[in-house]
Amino acid sequence: QVAFQPELPTLESSRPTQPPASPLPSAAMAAVLRKAAVLGLALFASPSASLTFDSSDALAKNRPVSKVITLLKDMLKQLEKEAEEDEEIYDKMACWCETNDREKTKSIADAEAKIEMLTTKIEELTAMSARLNTEIKNHEKEVAENQAA
């Protein structure tokens, strides 16, 4: 039994003996390649480019660029969330500062008025104490004189 083996072309038989002639000279070819590269970069970098990656596509998730884009989107969401939290905290702090400022200002004004009143009261009572001490000395002299008489 002989197995049928079709004849396959070999690598050497399929390889051309000479490189194909370029339709453009090498300088013109380089210019065309540069223009193609610039066009390709412009399309890739353009925000309106029709090349988009579906985030649900498993192949797109494995690409490094997609991972970076996903990471940046997550960072943006986190940043927006923190900005909202910071704004709420700022609003609470601003409210507390305004309320606290009003309360403290009123408290300081009340305390200064009370200090002024108490200072006046201390002066009155000091004067009264001096007057009463003088009266006591005068009465003691009168008592001493009346007992001597």
Side-chain angles (χ1 to χ4, degrees):
Q1 288 183 349
V2 175
F4 174 74
Q5 293 181 341
E7 211 172 292
L8 297 175
T10 62
L11 187 60
E12 293 171 6
S13 67
S14 64
R15 186 182 307 166
T17 56
Q18 293 182 353
S22 173
L24 298 174
S26 62
M29 182 66 126
V32 169
L33 288 176
R34 272 188 297 229
K35 287 180 183 178
V38 169
L39 180 63
L41 285 174
L43 285 176
F44 182 71
S46 170
S48 64
S50 63
L51 296 175
T52 57
F53 295 108
D54 185 13
S55 62
S56 64
D57 188 12
L59 292 176
K61 287 187 178 182
N62 291 333
R63 293 186 181 134
V65 172
S66 298
K67 290 179 182 179
V68 170
I69 291 172
T70 304
L71 181 65
L72 289 173
K73 286 180 181 178
D74 291 344
M75 288 173 64
L76 181 63
K77 288 177 187 175
Q78 182 68 24
L79 185 65
E80 289 172 350
K81 179 183 170 189
E82 289 176 359
E84 289 174 7
E85 291 172 358
D86 287 346
E87 187 174 337
E88 290 174 12
I89 291 171
Y90 175 80
D91 290 342
K92 288 178 184 177
M93 187 62 78
C95 179
W96 179 83
C97 288
E98 290 173 9
T99 304
N100 193 36
D101 184 46
R102 275 187 258 127
E103 290 175 0
K104 295 298 179 188
T105 303
K106 183 181 181 302
S107 171
I108 289 170
D110 291 346
E112 287 175 348
K114 189 171 183 177
I115 288 171
E116 196 172 310
M117 182 198 66
L118 290 175
T119 303
T120 306
K121 188 76 169 175
I122 288 171
E123 291 172 357
E124 289 174 9
L125 293 176
T126 304
M128 183 188 280
S129 174
R131 183 181 56 83
L132 290 175
N133 282 334
T134 306
E135 284 180 17
I136 289 173
K137 287 181 185 178
N138 288 339
H139 288 301
E140 285 176 353
K141 280 184 189 178
E142 285 178 21
V143 170
E145 288 175 5
N146 287 339
Q147 284 181 350

